[in-house]
Amino acid sequence: MSEPVVAFDVAALAEQLQRDPAAALGTLQATAQRGDAQAQYLLGQACMEGRGLPQDLPAGMHWFERAANAGLAIAMNMLGRCHELGTGTAANPALAAVWYRKAAGEGLDWGMYNLANLLGTGRGVARDAPAAFALYLQAARLGHAKSMNLVGRCLEDGIGVAADPAAAPAWYRRSAEAGDFRGQASHASLLLAAGDVDAAVVWLQRALAQGSASFLAHIRPTLAVSPHPQVRALVQG
């Protein structure tokens, strides 16, 4: 007589993994071993982060790969990231592009965005700016905040599409409102150019609060020499 199938509550187990990883791990491992793709993906994350067990990057990649081969789009994207960044394996942007393309084909906005980044820079694939723009636009229309900012950048600078600077501000604003720190900085830059310093400062504060280290290293020197004292004050002290 076969074992009864136990319903797997993905959201509950994911929450427990954050709150009490040790308690969640046994159920997660057993469910992953039974072939549940969502559990395999979560176990991959746990291995990558060292959550509830020692960090093991190759093991994390292994579980992402099992979930990806089972058809889980988000795992396809994460497997692509492993190959792109060399996490748990040697870096291989060409293989990353294969998995990003699979994730994008499943309708995942992050897969579209990551594939577009490779196409836009020619890493692992032939450089193709129009294809990159088309993917950014597709992801942006799905609500992907980072892609919204890059749609604006492409339109402003004519990258992969005919330049249309008048159409860029709306995309920067949408990206900012959706929470992307680069979109917030782009939107603030246009507000400053229009003379709306107070509104620009609000968006810059948000961008600085959540920006990555590389973003902050780039933007802080620029803000420090702004002609507007309110802007300079954001990075002083």
Side-chain angles (χ1 to χ4, degrees):
M1 183 175 180
S2 61
E3 293 183 21
V5 176
V6 179
F8 174 54
D9 188 333
V10 178
L13 195 54
E15 191 277 332
Q16 187 183 29
L17 187 63
Q18 296 295 320
R19 175 174 44 82
D20 188 357
L25 200 59
T27 301
L28 185 61
Q29 289 173 320
T31 310
Q33 290 288 0
R34 286 200 299 269
D36 188 285
Q38 291 278 6
Q40 291 167 348
Y41 169 71
L42 289 175
L43 184 54
Q45 285 187 312
C47 291
M48 287 288 179
E49 298 170 6
R51 187 176 295 277
L53 73 176
Q55 185 181 50
D56 188 336
L57 302 183
M61 181 184 167
H62 163 78
W63 286 111
F64 286 153
E65 188 168 20
R66 286 189 61 174
N69 284 322
L72 189 65
I74 192 170
M76 296 173 188
N77 180 68
M78 290 306 299
L79 185 57
R81 290 291 285 169
C82 289
H83 286 298
E84 180 182 359
L85 301 177
T87 305
T89 186
N92 187 337
L95 195 50
V98 170
W99 285 106
Y100 289 151
R101 196 177 300 277
K102 287 178 180 291
E106 293 293 324
L108 185 69
D109 52 2
W110 276 104
M112 298 168 194
Y113 168 79
N114 285 321
L115 179 58
N117 285 342
L118 294 185
L119 288 165
T121 56
R123 289 177 294 128
V125 289
R127 188 170 183 176
D128 189 337
F133 174 76
L135 284 164
Y136 286 138
L137 183 59
Q138 187 178 0
R141 286 172 171 165
L142 291 174
H144 192 261
K146 290 184 178 296
S147 293
M148 293 174 189
N149 178 58
L150 287 167
V151 168
R153 183 66 61 204
C154 290
L155 288 168
E156 184 176 6
D157 297 338
I159 303 171
V161 65
D164 187 357
W171 283 107
Y172 290 147
R173 185 182 65 252
R174 288 180 64 182
S175 176
E177 291 171 349
D180 179 55
F181 58 85
R182 295 186 188 278
Q184 291 164 350
S186 298
H187 183 47
S189 178
L190 294 185
L191 289 170
L192 285 174
D196 193 347
V197 179
D198 290 341
V201 165
V202 171
W203 286 110
L204 286 170
Q205 287 173 326
R206 296 179 185 179
L208 291 169
Q210 60 180 338
S212 65
S214 60
F215 168 79
L216 295 176
H218 172 76
I219 196 172
R220 283 181 177 276
T222 301
L223 300 183
V225 295
S226 169
H228 307 289
Q230 306 99 304
V231 174
R232 295 197 303 272
L234 293 173
V235 293
Q236 292 174 346

